[in-house]
């Protein structure tokens, strides 16, 4: 695997695509469940799910906030911009996964119980994920980048990261 420079434009495009794919996947799954007509409400099987799904959602949101804060604090201490942006990308993907997992679980609970509470819970998690859309300004603010680093991030043609490619 050879490292290849990634411009600011390419970096944020890739990060935006990852974010969008996670959102669209959940929305498609939700749409498929809503279109299926075989969801019949069950009487008692959803009681346990009514505790587990919100607990997972709460844990995912809090876990994502905690993970982002702790990792961003350690990323700020790095000197190399390429290390910062690669670590930041990893952090965001992990945060997104902590939101997506409970959302998908809530959708599975909905498919098993036909209880719209789970659909609403998944919708809330999807909205939180949507609100966490990655942007240049958010990265600059989160990582408290200096003037030189900020100018590189804002320049679409500047090489700010490296990706490994197979040749």
């Amino acid at each position: 695997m050879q490292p290849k420079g990634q411009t600011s434009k390419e970096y944020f495009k890739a990060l935006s695509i990852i974010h969008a794919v996670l959102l669209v996947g959940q929305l498609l799954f939700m749409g498929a469940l809503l279109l299926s007509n075989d969801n019949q409400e069950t009487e008692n099987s959803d009681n346990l799910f009514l505790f587990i799904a919100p607990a997972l959602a709460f844990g995912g949101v809090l876990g994502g906030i905690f993970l982002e804060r702790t990792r961003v604090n350690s990323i700020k201490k790095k000197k190399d911009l390429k290390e910062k942006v690669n670590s930041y990308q990893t952090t965001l993907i992990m945060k997104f996964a902590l939101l997506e997992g409970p959302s998908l679980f809530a959708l599975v609970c909905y498919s098993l119980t036909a209880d719209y509470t789970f659909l609403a819970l998944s919708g809330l998690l999807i909205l939180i994920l949507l609100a966490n859309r990655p942007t240049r300004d958010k990265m600059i603010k989160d990582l408290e980048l200096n003037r030189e680093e900020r100018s590189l991030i804002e320049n679409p043609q500047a090489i700010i990261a490296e990706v490994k490619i197979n040749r």
Side-chain angles (χ1 to χ4, degrees):
M1 297 185 123
Q2 264 186 336
K4 176 192 177 284
Q6 188 176 36
T7 65
S8 177
K9 180 180 178 179
E10 293 168 337
Y11 175 85
F12 283 100
K13 183 178 180 180
L15 200 51
S16 294
I17 289 170
I18 292 167
H19 183 257
V21 166
L22 293 174
L23 277 171
V24 169
Q26 291 174 79
L27 292 171
L28 288 174
F29 187 38
M30 182 185 282
L33 292 175
L34 285 170
L35 290 175
S36 70
N37 294 328
D38 60 347
N39 290 337
Q40 297 177 5
E41 184 130 12
T42 58
E43 294 174 16
N44 294 324
S45 66
D46 62 332
N47 289 340
L48 187 59
F49 292 144
L50 283 173
F51 294 105
I52 296 172
L56 284 175
F58 187 70
V61 171
L62 285 182
I65 292 168
F66 177 76
L67 171 90
E68 183 177 29
R69 283 187 184 162
T70 56
R71 288 195 44 117
V72 163
N73 284 335
S74 68
I75 293 169
K76 287 180 199 177
K77 296 173 186 170
K78 295 181 179 194
K79 300 292 182 208
D80 184 43
L81 181 63
K82 289 179 182 178
E83 285 182 49
K84 287 181 180 182
V85 297
N86 286 336
S87 296
Y88 186 73
Q89 182 179 45
T90 302
T91 300
L92 288 182
I93 291 170
M94 291 187 319
K95 181 180 180 180
F96 297 161
L98 286 171
L99 293 171
E100 182 187 34
S103 173
L104 293 175
F105 181 77
L107 290 173
V108 169
C109 291
Y110 167 73
S111 75
L112 296 172
T113 65
D115 186 343
Y116 285 96
T117 304
F118 299 115
L119 209 57
L121 181 60
S122 177
L124 177 64
L125 290 168
I126 289 169
L127 288 175
I128 292 170
L129 181 60
L130 184 62
N132 281 281
R133 185 177 66 84
T135 64
R136 282 182 172 87
D137 291 336
K138 185 175 180 335
M139 175 193 270
I140 290 168
K141 182 181 167 231
D142 287 350
L143 298 181
E144 298 173 1
L145 299 177
N146 62 38
R147 186 178 310 232
E148 182 182 320
E149 293 169 330
R150 188 178 309 149
S151 68
L152 288 171
I153 295 296
E154 292 171 346
N155 178 357
Q157 302 307 316
I159 303 292
I160 63 166
E162 284 186 354
V163 291
K164 295 183 178 165
I165 57 172
N166 289 330
R167 288 206 175 201

